[in-house]
Amino acid sequence: MKYALITGGSRGIGRAICEALAEHTDYGILINYNSNKEAAEDTKKRVESYGNKAEILAFDVADKNAVDTVLNEWQERNPEAWIEVLVNNAGITKDGLFMWMKEEDWSSVINTSLNGFFNLTQFVIQKMLRKRYGRIVNMVSVSGVKGTPGQTNYSAAKGAVVAATKALAQEVAKRNITVNAVAPGFIKTDMTGELNEKELVKLVPANRFGEAKEVADLVQFLTSDKASYITGEVININGGIYS
């Protein structure tokens, strides 16, 4: 059986991606979470309501040993299964002006987004190469392409994933594996819940925040056969705030 693995899949954009893939594909859905088991269980129920198989995998994407251990155990339990789609969605923010930024706030954000990309992608890419097919979608951000003041750490992490996306895409394209990045702007999620939407919406030409489902529908398209000639791309979805 073929599976799609979504990191940070229990809430927000990650949950919407799990649901979109469940609605439009027959993939089994692997829902990764790090801290909120209750939210992951809820996402699992939503996926199963579409008739898809769903499993929850608990690990911190920044911890390579944990990633390898959990995924190797899953593979041993499911010897015939393989992960055909990987969505690197997990990310954290630790915002603050660079001149006062603590080293741990720099490192933890880099470790989750950039090292998380490495840890997960390196695990799944081996089998994708052998099977000669795969879809990798990296969730970046407007911060990673434009840069956002107060988010030098997050911008650095996501910008690095943008560059990695472009390089890896060229390495694996001959094996029918695509690697793309999606860069959302202001999207209504828990992560943006504390932002002043009334003020920030003035910056957005579309005059509104985006919905998680809109991002998820784009990701779902990129994982499909219809997007087989799109690779190494960074697709902005931000209501016109930056392109």
Side-chain angles (χ1 to χ4, degrees):
M1 184 172 179
K2 296 170 185 175
Y3 282 81
L5 168 57
I6 298 90
T7 66
S10 64
R11 293 180 297 163
I13 290 172
R15 170 181 282 178
I17 292 167
C18 290
E19 288 196 69
L21 289 172
E23 183 179 359
H24 298 289
T25 76
D26 58 0
Y27 285 120
I29 307 294
L30 299 176
I31 304 155
N32 158 257
Y33 80 97
N34 187 28
S35 56
N36 194 331
K37 187 176 183 181
E38 198 177 323
E41 293 281 5
D42 185 44
T43 303
K44 182 174 184 282
K45 284 179 192 163
R46 292 178 187 222
V47 167
E48 289 170 341
S49 73
Y50 290 100
N52 294 56
K53 191 173 179 183
E55 279 186 66
I56 294 170
L57 301 177
F59 56 78
D60 177 356
V61 297
D63 183 343
K64 190 167 193 323
N65 286 335
V67 171
D68 289 347
T69 299
V70 172
L71 290 180
N72 276 317
E73 285 173 357
W74 175 83
Q75 195 70 74
E76 283 167 19
R77 291 196 309 272
N78 302 276
E80 300 301 312
W82 68 289
I83 296 166
E84 189 168 277
V85 170
L86 170 64
V87 182
N88 286 306
N89 171 70
I92 59 169
T93 54
K94 295 280 179 75
D95 295 352
L97 292 177
F98 184 76
M99 59 197 237
W100 291 314
M101 189 172 286
K102 295 174 186 166
E103 192 274 336
E104 66 186 75
D105 289 347
W106 173 269
S107 298
S108 62
V109 170
I110 297 283
N111 287 341
T112 300
S113 282
L114 183 56
N115 295 350
F117 157 81
F118 174 83
N119 296 339
L120 271 298
T121 307
Q122 197 177 56
F123 186 94
V124 303
I125 200 88
Q126 312 293 340
K127 210 155 192 180
M128 286 181 179
L129 288 164
R130 286 200 300 275
K131 295 279 189 179
R132 292 181 169 269
Y133 188 89
R135 295 284 182 266
I136 297 167
V137 180
N138 300 316
M139 301 306 298
V140 290
S141 168
V142 66
S143 300
V145 286
K146 174 187 175 291
T148 303
Q151 287 195 321
T152 301
N153 50 357
Y154 191 65
S155 298
K158 294 301 189 182
V161 175
V162 165
T165 297
K166 293 178 178 183
L168 181 60
Q170 295 173 67
E171 289 184 21
V172 298
K174 284 180 182 166
R175 294 289 178 112
N176 203 22
I177 300 166
T178 64
V179 189
N180 291 292
V182 170
F186 294 118
I187 308 295
K188 287 182 185 174
T189 65
D190 293 349
M191 200 181 250
T192 58
E194 292 172 20
L195 298 178
N196 186 337
E197 187 173 340
K198 207 176 207 178
E199 281 302 307
L200 290 171
V201 83
K202 294 173 185 172
L203 303 172
V204 185
N207 201 38
R208 67 176 178 88
F209 275 21
E211 299 290 341
K213 186 180 186 309
E214 292 174 300
V215 180
D217 286 340
L218 171 58
V219 173
Q220 189 270 314
F221 168 73
L222 289 171
T223 66
S224 74
D225 285 338
K226 292 177 181 178
S228 59
Y229 203 54
I230 301 171
T231 196
E233 283 300 318
V234 183
I235 300 175
N236 293 292
I237 177 165
N238 56 37
I241 197 169
Y242 183 80
S243 62

